[in-house]
Amino acid sequence: MKITSYLEEIKANNLFKTIVDRFIRDYAKEDGFKYLALRKKGNKFFIELSYNHKMNQKKVHEIIKYIDTNLNSALSVTTLKYFAIQSSRKKRINKHKKKLKVKTKLSDVDFSFFHGKKISGNSIRRPEHNETPGTIGGIIELENHKGLYLMSNYHVIMRDSGKLDSSVFNDDGIAIGKLFWGKFDDKFDIALAKITTSKPPKRGVHDFKFGKLTPPSYSKINLTSFSAGGSDTGEIYSINSIVKIGANVFKNQILFKKSRLEPGDSGTLIVSGNKKVRDVVGLFIGGENVSSDNSIKIANNLFNLFSNTVEEFKDHKDRIMPKIKFKTFY
């Protein structure tokens, strides 16, 4: 990316940030609203408003006027009607389910029980959840806590009912970790579980290893998502967006497409590059019609979370989440 282009990206991103908080307060919970995203086409940046038939057209015009007025028309606004966006934790299709159910030799002391594959991309669940499990995105190390930690979504392994130190399991009912930390707010849907097996898992995933955390950029359009069903490529659609999933509104989200994920792949990591070492961009949380490679998928921006120390906090269920400082992907 040329320096001038990069500076334009920063400028556009900063402009978009100035309208975020008020937009969420006044418009994001409107019936029919799906997302508001900073987009780029060629060298031009613009804002895309997505909604469905439930949104009143007067409200659409009001939103456009609000953005134009507050940004002095520095970024144009386009509109796009879309289908419903949903969480990705619903049941996997049968073909995908069969892949998860194939039995191999099991062991309660290592992670060799998934056809010899590395652990990232395999399934994880809590026994009290009746739905099909989500996905282990990756394993991380922390600067201020010993051990290795599985990463997935809050809505997959923790939720409001999860108690810290309770067990999480693979698809065959083997306890592989204990809930350690989680964050569910207007930016993140993420949880960590400390690995409890005595033998460490293999590093990386499939045929590559994880590199560093990197912020999303329109120059990094080559993405890879991976799950129990395999990996697929995709591309950045937006580096900064406001999205509504059900009743929840998230800001600072990454949108991507041309990557086929199945319902149940919540927790998948999104990485950039095509080399043996790939940088981590985001954590998949949901989307609309996720099985279609042309549909919009949503990912948390992990760089925004882990580039600084996350201080101890009490969550909305009064659980004390410990202070953590990210070290590296395992």
Side-chain angles (χ1 to χ4, degrees), residues 6-30:
Y6 180 64
L7 292 175
E8 287 299 315
E9 183 174 310
I10 293 175
K11 180 180 176 181
N13 202 34
N14 288 337
L15 280 171
F16 184 80
K17 288 178 181 178
T18 64
I19 65 170
V20 167
D21 290 337
R22 185 178 170 187
F23 182 90
I24 291 174
R25 184 191 71 194
D26 294 345
Y27 302 112
K29 294 187 178 181
E30 288 286 334

PDB file of all heavy atoms in Angstrom, residues 6-30:
ATOM      1  N   TYR A   6      -2.457   4.843   2.439  1.00  0.00           N
ATOM      2  CA  TYR A   6      -2.562   4.466   3.841  1.00  0.00           C
ATOM      3  C   TYR A   6      -3.062   5.641   4.672  1.00  0.00           C
ATOM      4  O   TYR A   6      -3.909   5.486   5.562  1.00  0.00           O
ATOM      5  CB  TYR A   6      -1.205   3.991   4.351  1.00  0.00           C
ATOM      6  CG  TYR A   6      -1.194   3.580   5.800  1.00  0.00           C
ATOM      7  CD1 TYR A   6      -1.946   2.488   6.233  1.00  0.00           C
ATOM      8  CD2 TYR A   6      -0.441   4.280   6.734  1.00  0.00           C
ATOM      9  CE1 TYR A   6      -1.941   2.097   7.558  1.00  0.00           C
ATOM     10  CE2 TYR A   6      -0.432   3.907   8.065  1.00  0.00           C
ATOM     11  CZ  TYR A   6      -1.183   2.816   8.476  1.00  0.00           C
ATOM     12  OH  TYR A   6      -1.183   2.445   9.784  1.00  0.00           O
ATOM     13  N   LEU A   7      -2.565   6.843   4.386  1.00  0.00           N
ATOM     14  CA  LEU A   7      -3.004   8.029   5.109  1.00  0.00           C
ATOM     15  C   LEU A   7      -4.470   8.321   4.846  1.00  0.00           C
ATOM     16  O   LEU A   7      -5.213   8.742   5.746  1.00  0.00           O
ATOM     17  CB  LEU A   7      -2.142   9.236   4.720  1.00  0.00           C
ATOM     18  CG  LEU A   7      -0.681   9.194   5.185  1.00  0.00           C
ATOM     19  CD1 LEU A   7       0.086  10.394   4.634  1.00  0.00           C
ATOM     20  CD2 LEU A   7      -0.589   9.162   6.711  1.00  0.00           C
ATOM     21  N   GLU A   8      -4.925   8.091   3.622  1.00  0.00           N
ATOM     22  CA  GLU A   8      -6.335   8.271   3.300  1.00  0.00           C
ATOM     23  C   GLU A   8      -7.194   7.274   4.074  1.00  0.00           C
ATOM     24  O   GLU A   8      -8.297   7.597   4.514  1.00  0.00           O
ATOM     25  CB  GLU A   8      -6.561   8.109   1.794  1.00  0.00           C
ATOM     26  CG  GLU A   8      -6.064   9.270   0.967  1.00  0.00           C
ATOM     27  CD  GLU A   8      -6.775  10.572   1.322  1.00  0.00           C
ATOM     28  OE1 GLU A   8      -8.008  10.561   1.450  1.00  0.00           O
ATOM     29  OE2 GLU A   8      -6.083  11.587   1.496  1.00  0.00           O
ATOM     30  N   GLU A   9      -6.681   6.061   4.252  1.00  0.00           N
ATOM     31  CA  GLU A   9      -7.407   5.044   5.019  1.00  0.00           C
ATOM     32  C   GLU A   9      -7.544   5.474   6.477  1.00  0.00           C
ATOM     33  O   GLU A   9      -8.620   5.350   7.076  1.00  0.00           O
ATOM     34  CB  GLU A   9      -6.691   3.696   4.931  1.00  0.00           C
ATOM     35  CG  GLU A   9      -7.411   2.571   5.648  1.00  0.00           C
ATOM     36  CD  GLU A   9      -6.748   1.228   5.418  1.00  0.00           C
ATOM     37  OE1 GLU A   9      -6.483   0.893   4.239  1.00  0.00           O
ATOM     38  OE2 GLU A   9      -6.494   0.523   6.406  1.00  0.00           O
ATOM     39  N   ILE A  10      -6.478   5.992   7.049  1.00  0.00           N
ATOM     40  CA  ILE A  10      -6.515   6.476   8.433  1.00  0.00           C
ATOM     41  C   ILE A  10      -7.503   7.636   8.564  1.00  0.00           C
ATOM     42  O   ILE A  10      -8.306   7.689   9.501  1.00  0.00           O
ATOM     43  CB  ILE A  10      -5.112   6.921   8.888  1.00  0.00           C
ATOM     44  CG1 ILE A  10      -4.178   5.716   8.977  1.00  0.00           C
ATOM     45  CG2 ILE A  10      -5.188   7.626  10.242  1.00  0.00           C
ATOM     46  CD1 ILE A  10      -2.745   6.080   9.305  1.00  0.00           C
ATOM     47  N   LYS A  11      -7.455   8.564   7.617  1.00  0.00           N
ATOM     48  CA  LYS A  11      -8.354   9.711   7.636  1.00  0.00           C
ATOM     49  C   LYS A  11      -9.813   9.266   7.559  1.00  0.00           C
ATOM     50  O   LYS A  11     -10.669   9.747   8.326  1.00  0.00           O
ATOM     51  CB  LYS A  11      -8.024  10.642   6.470  1.00  0.00           C
ATOM     52  CG  LYS A  11      -8.902  11.885   6.395  1.00  0.00           C
ATOM     53  CD  LYS A  11      -8.505  12.745   5.207  1.00  0.00           C
ATOM     54  CE  LYS A  11      -9.448  13.948   5.081  1.00  0.00           C
ATOM     55  NZ  LYS A  11      -9.089  14.796   3.901  1.00  0.00           N
ATOM     56  N   ALA A  12     -10.120   8.358   6.644  1.00  0.00           N
ATOM     57  CA  ALA A  12     -11.491   7.866   6.491  1.00  0.00           C
ATOM     58  C   ALA A  12     -11.957   7.139   7.748  1.00  0.00           C
ATOM     59  O   ALA A  12     -13.102   7.302   8.195  1.00  0.00           O
ATOM     60  CB  ALA A  12     -11.575   6.949   5.276  1.00  0.00           C
ATOM     61  N   ASN A  13     -11.058   6.333   8.331  1.00  0.00           N
ATOM     62  CA  ASN A  13     -11.397   5.594   9.535  1.00  0.00           C
ATOM     63  C   ASN A  13     -11.685   6.538  10.697  1.00  0.00           C
ATOM     64  O   ASN A  13     -12.625   6.337  11.476  1.00  0.00           O
ATOM     65  CB  ASN A  13     -10.249   4.650   9.894  1.00  0.00           C
ATOM     66  CG  ASN A  13     -10.679   3.504  10.771  1.00  0.00           C
ATOM     67  OD1 ASN A  13     -11.788   2.998  10.651  1.00  0.00           O
ATOM     68  ND2 ASN A  13      -9.805   3.082  11.664  1.00  0.00           N
ATOM     69  N   ASN A  14     -10.875   7.584  10.823  1.00  0.00           N
ATOM     70  CA  ASN A  14     -11.086   8.564  11.889  1.00  0.00           C
ATOM     71  C   ASN A  14     -12.391   9.334  11.705  1.00  0.00           C
ATOM     72  O   ASN A  14     -13.090   9.640  12.678  1.00  0.00           O
ATOM     73  CB  ASN A  14      -9.908   9.534  11.964  1.00  0.00           C
ATOM     74  CG  ASN A  14      -8.657   8.886  12.530  1.00  0.00           C
ATOM     75  OD1 ASN A  14      -8.740   7.880  13.246  1.00  0.00           O
ATOM     76  ND2 ASN A  14      -7.493   9.446  12.217  1.00  0.00           N
ATOM     77  N   LEU A  15     -12.741   9.648  10.466  1.00  0.00           N
ATOM     78  CA  LEU A  15     -14.016  10.310  10.189  1.00  0.00           C
ATOM     79  C   LEU A  15     -15.187   9.415  10.598  1.00  0.00           C
ATOM     80  O   LEU A  15     -16.149   9.867  11.225  1.00  0.00           O
ATOM     81  CB  LEU A  15     -14.122  10.651   8.700  1.00  0.00           C
ATOM     82  CG  LEU A  15     -13.397  11.892   8.210  1.00  0.00           C
ATOM     83  CD1 LEU A  15     -13.416  11.951   6.683  1.00  0.00           C
ATOM     84  CD2 LEU A  15     -14.045  13.158   8.789  1.00  0.00           C
ATOM     85  N   PHE A  16     -15.084   8.150  10.246  1.00  0.00           N
ATOM     86  CA  PHE A  16     -16.154   7.205  10.576  1.00  0.00           C
ATOM     87  C   PHE A  16     -16.345   7.110  12.089  1.00  0.00           C
ATOM     88  O   PHE A  16     -17.473   7.058  12.591  1.00  0.00           O
ATOM     89  CB  PHE A  16     -15.826   5.824   9.986  1.00  0.00           C
ATOM     90  CG  PHE A  16     -16.905   4.799  10.189  1.00  0.00           C
ATOM     91  CD1 PHE A  16     -18.017   4.782   9.370  1.00  0.00           C
ATOM     92  CD2 PHE A  16     -16.800   3.845  11.193  1.00  0.00           C
ATOM     93  CE1 PHE A  16     -19.023   3.830   9.550  1.00  0.00           C
ATOM     94  CE2 PHE A  16     -17.786   2.897  11.376  1.00  0.00           C
ATOM     95  CZ  PHE A  16     -18.905   2.896  10.554  1.00  0.00           C
ATOM     96  N   LYS A  17     -15.244   7.108  12.833  1.00  0.00           N
ATOM     97  CA  LYS A  17     -15.313   6.986  14.293  1.00  0.00           C
ATOM     98  C   LYS A  17     -16.078   8.139  14.937  1.00  0.00           C
ATOM     99  O   LYS A  17     -16.673   7.974  16.002  1.00  0.00           O
ATOM    100  CB  LYS A  17     -13.899   6.913  14.878  1.00  0.00           C
ATOM    101  CG  LYS A  17     -13.180   5.599  14.602  1.00  0.00           C
ATOM    102  CD  LYS A  17     -11.753   5.624  15.166  1.00  0.00           C
ATOM    103  CE  LYS A  17     -11.026   4.330  14.884  1.00  0.00           C
ATOM    104  NZ  LYS A  17      -9.623   4.368  15.397  1.00  0.00           N
ATOM    105  N   THR A  18     -16.077   9.306  14.302  1.00  0.00           N
ATOM    106  CA  THR A  18     -16.743  10.465  14.902  1.00  0.00           C
ATOM    107  C   THR A  18     -18.260  10.334  14.942  1.00  0.00           C
ATOM    108  O   THR A  18     -18.920  11.040  15.716  1.00  0.00           O
ATOM    109  CB  THR A  18     -16.382  11.762  14.150  1.00  0.00           C
ATOM    110  OG1 THR A  18     -16.888  11.701  12.805  1.00  0.00           O
ATOM    111  CG2 THR A  18     -14.880  11.996  14.139  1.00  0.00           C
ATOM    112  N   ILE A  19     -18.832   9.456  14.128  1.00  0.00           N
ATOM    113  CA  ILE A  19     -20.297   9.323  14.097  1.00  0.00           C
ATOM    114  C   ILE A  19     -20.790   8.067  14.810  1.00  0.00           C
ATOM    115  O   ILE A  19     -21.993   7.874  14.958  1.00  0.00           O
ATOM    116  CB  ILE A  19     -20.828   9.323  12.650  1.00  0.00           C
ATOM    117  CG1 ILE A  19     -20.313   8.083  11.886  1.00  0.00           C
ATOM    118  CG2 ILE A  19     -20.449  10.610  11.930  1.00  0.00           C
ATOM    119  CD1 ILE A  19     -20.980   7.885  10.541  1.00  0.00           C
ATOM    120  N   VAL A  20     -19.862   7.220  15.273  1.00  0.00           N
ATOM    121  CA  VAL A  20     -20.233   5.905  15.785  1.00  0.00           C
ATOM    122  C   VAL A  20     -21.125   5.968  17.015  1.00  0.00           C
ATOM    123  O   VAL A  20     -22.215   5.370  17.053  1.00  0.00           O
ATOM    124  CB  VAL A  20     -18.972   5.071  16.089  1.00  0.00           C
ATOM    125  CG1 VAL A  20     -19.325   3.839  16.918  1.00  0.00           C
ATOM    126  CG2 VAL A  20     -18.301   4.639  14.797  1.00  0.00           C
ATOM    127  N   ASP A  21     -20.699   6.654  18.060  1.00  0.00           N
ATOM    128  CA  ASP A  21     -21.429   6.610  19.332  1.00  0.00           C
ATOM    129  C   ASP A  21     -22.842   7.163  19.209  1.00  0.00           C
ATOM    130  O   ASP A  21     -23.800   6.575  19.729  1.00  0.00           O
ATOM    131  CB  ASP A  21     -20.659   7.352  20.419  1.00  0.00           C
ATOM    132  CG  ASP A  21     -19.391   6.615  20.836  1.00  0.00           C
ATOM    133  OD1 ASP A  21     -19.327   5.385  20.628  1.00  0.00           O
ATOM    134  OD2 ASP A  21     -18.465   7.256  21.348  1.00  0.00           O
ATOM    135  N   ARG A  22     -22.991   8.297  18.541  1.00  0.00           N
ATOM    136  CA  ARG A  22     -24.333   8.850  18.392  1.00  0.00           C
ATOM    137  C   ARG A  22     -25.196   7.977  17.486  1.00  0.00           C
ATOM    138  O   ARG A  22     -26.402   7.820  17.726  1.00  0.00           O
ATOM    139  CB  ARG A  22     -24.267  10.276  17.840  1.00  0.00           C
ATOM    140  CG  ARG A  22     -25.642  10.922  17.775  1.00  0.00           C
ATOM    141  CD  ARG A  22     -25.598  12.347  17.285  1.00  0.00           C
ATOM    142  NE  ARG A  22     -26.945  12.824  17.015  1.00  0.00           N
ATOM    143  CZ  ARG A  22     -27.227  13.991  16.445  1.00  0.00           C
ATOM    144  NH1 ARG A  22     -26.240  14.822  16.129  1.00  0.00           N
ATOM    145  NH2 ARG A  22     -28.468  14.343  16.215  1.00  0.00           N
ATOM    146  N   PHE A  23     -24.584   7.403  16.453  1.00  0.00           N
ATOM    147  CA  PHE A  23     -25.352   6.517  15.576  1.00  0.00           C
ATOM    148  C   PHE A  23     -25.897   5.334  16.360  1.00  0.00           C
ATOM    149  O   PHE A  23     -27.058   4.946  16.198  1.00  0.00           O
ATOM    150  CB  PHE A  23     -24.483   6.020  14.418  1.00  0.00           C
ATOM    151  CG  PHE A  23     -25.236   5.143  13.460  1.00  0.00           C
ATOM    152  CD1 PHE A  23     -25.894   5.688  12.373  1.00  0.00           C
ATOM    153  CD2 PHE A  23     -25.306   3.764  13.659  1.00  0.00           C
ATOM    154  CE1 PHE A  23     -26.618   4.877  11.500  1.00  0.00           C
ATOM    155  CE2 PHE A  23     -26.029   2.947  12.801  1.00  0.00           C
ATOM    156  CZ  PHE A  23     -26.687   3.509  11.715  1.00  0.00           C
ATOM    157  N   ILE A  24     -25.072   4.742  17.213  1.00  0.00           N
ATOM    158  CA  ILE A  24     -25.520   3.607  18.021  1.00  0.00           C
ATOM    159  C   ILE A  24     -26.657   4.029  18.936  1.00  0.00           C
ATOM    160  O   ILE A  24     -27.665   3.319  19.080  1.00  0.00           O
ATOM    161  CB  ILE A  24     -24.347   3.021  18.829  1.00  0.00           C
ATOM    162  CG1 ILE A  24     -23.357   2.332  17.891  1.00  0.00           C
ATOM    163  CG2 ILE A  24     -24.847   2.036  19.891  1.00  0.00           C
ATOM    164  CD1 ILE A  24     -22.099   1.842  18.568  1.00  0.00           C
ATOM    165  N   ARG A  25     -26.522   5.192  19.545  1.00  0.00           N
ATOM    166  CA  ARG A  25     -27.554   5.676  20.463  1.00  0.00           C
ATOM    167  C   ARG A  25     -28.881   5.942  19.754  1.00  0.00           C
ATOM    168  O   ARG A  25     -29.955   5.579  20.255  1.00  0.00           O
ATOM    169  CB  ARG A  25     -27.067   6.965  21.132  1.00  0.00           C
ATOM    170  CG  ARG A  25     -28.018   7.523  22.187  1.00  0.00           C
ATOM    171  CD  ARG A  25     -27.589   8.920  22.582  1.00  0.00           C
ATOM    172  NE  ARG A  25     -27.833   9.885  21.503  1.00  0.00           N
ATOM    173  CZ  ARG A  25     -27.318  11.106  21.464  1.00  0.00           C
ATOM    174  NH1 ARG A  25     -26.501  11.517  22.431  1.00  0.00           N
ATOM    175  NH2 ARG A  25     -27.596  11.913  20.455  1.00  0.00           N
ATOM    176  N   ASP A  26     -28.834   6.539  18.563  1.00  0.00           N
ATOM    177  CA  ASP A  26     -30.057   7.016  17.921  1.00  0.00           C
ATOM    178  C   ASP A  26     -30.639   6.096  16.855  1.00  0.00           C
ATOM    179  O   ASP A  26     -31.848   6.159  16.584  1.00  0.00           O
ATOM    180  CB  ASP A  26     -29.803   8.387  17.279  1.00  0.00           C
ATOM    181  CG  ASP A  26     -29.514   9.472  18.305  1.00  0.00           C
ATOM    182  OD1 ASP A  26     -29.782   9.239  19.496  1.00  0.00           O
ATOM    183  OD2 ASP A  26     -29.008  10.537  17.909  1.00  0.00           O
ATOM    184  N   TYR A  27     -29.790   5.239  16.245  1.00  0.00           N
ATOM    185  CA  TYR A  27     -30.276   4.502  15.079  1.00  0.00           C
ATOM    186  C   TYR A  27     -30.021   2.994  15.074  1.00  0.00           C
ATOM    187  O   TYR A  27     -30.760   2.247  14.425  1.00  0.00           O
ATOM    188  CB  TYR A  27     -29.652   5.092  13.799  1.00  0.00           C
ATOM    189  CG  TYR A  27     -29.924   6.545  13.602  1.00  0.00           C
ATOM    190  CD1 TYR A  27     -28.896   7.485  13.683  1.00  0.00           C
ATOM    191  CD2 TYR A  27     -31.213   7.004  13.330  1.00  0.00           C
ATOM    192  CE1 TYR A  27     -29.140   8.835  13.493  1.00  0.00           C
ATOM    193  CE2 TYR A  27     -31.467   8.358  13.138  1.00  0.00           C
ATOM    194  CZ  TYR A  27     -30.434   9.264  13.229  1.00  0.00           C
ATOM    195  OH  TYR A  27     -30.683  10.597  13.045  1.00  0.00           O
ATOM    196  N   ALA A  28     -28.981   2.529  15.742  1.00  0.00           N
ATOM    197  CA  ALA A  28     -28.544   1.141  15.564  1.00  0.00           C
ATOM    198  C   ALA A  28     -29.558   0.109  16.033  1.00  0.00           C
ATOM    199  O   ALA A  28     -29.520  -1.043  15.589  1.00  0.00           O
ATOM    200  CB  ALA A  28     -27.212   0.918  16.278  1.00  0.00           C
ATOM    201  N   LYS A  29     -30.467   0.493  16.918  1.00  0.00           N
ATOM    202  CA  LYS A  29     -31.453  -0.466  17.416  1.00  0.00           C
ATOM    203  C   LYS A  29     -32.779  -0.389  16.675  1.00  0.00           C
ATOM    204  O   LYS A  29     -33.752  -1.048  17.052  1.00  0.00           O
ATOM    205  CB  LYS A  29     -31.655  -0.273  18.916  1.00  0.00           C
ATOM    206  CG  LYS A  29     -30.402  -0.626  19.714  1.00  0.00           C
ATOM    207  CD  LYS A  29     -30.627  -0.599  21.212  1.00  0.00           C
ATOM    208  CE  LYS A  29     -29.352  -1.004  21.945  1.00  0.00           C
ATOM    209  NZ  LYS A  29     -29.536  -1.002  23.413  1.00  0.00           N
ATOM    210  N   GLU A  30     -32.814   0.385  15.611  1.00  0.00           N
ATOM    211  CA  GLU A  30     -34.017   0.471  14.781  1.00  0.00           C
ATOM    212  C   GLU A  30     -34.326  -0.879  14.149  1.00  0.00           C
ATOM    213  O   GLU A  30     -33.421  -1.611  13.732  1.00  0.00           O
ATOM    214  CB  GLU A  30     -33.822   1.511  13.673  1.00  0.00           C
ATOM    215  CG  GLU A  30     -33.817   2.947  14.128  1.00  0.00           C
ATOM    216  CD  GLU A  30     -35.201   3.456  14.481  1.00  0.00           C
ATOM    217  OE1 GLU A  30     -36.199   2.913  13.945  1.00  0.00           O
ATOM    218  OE2 GLU A  30     -35.290   4.396  15.281  1.00  0.00           O
TER     219      GLU A  30
END
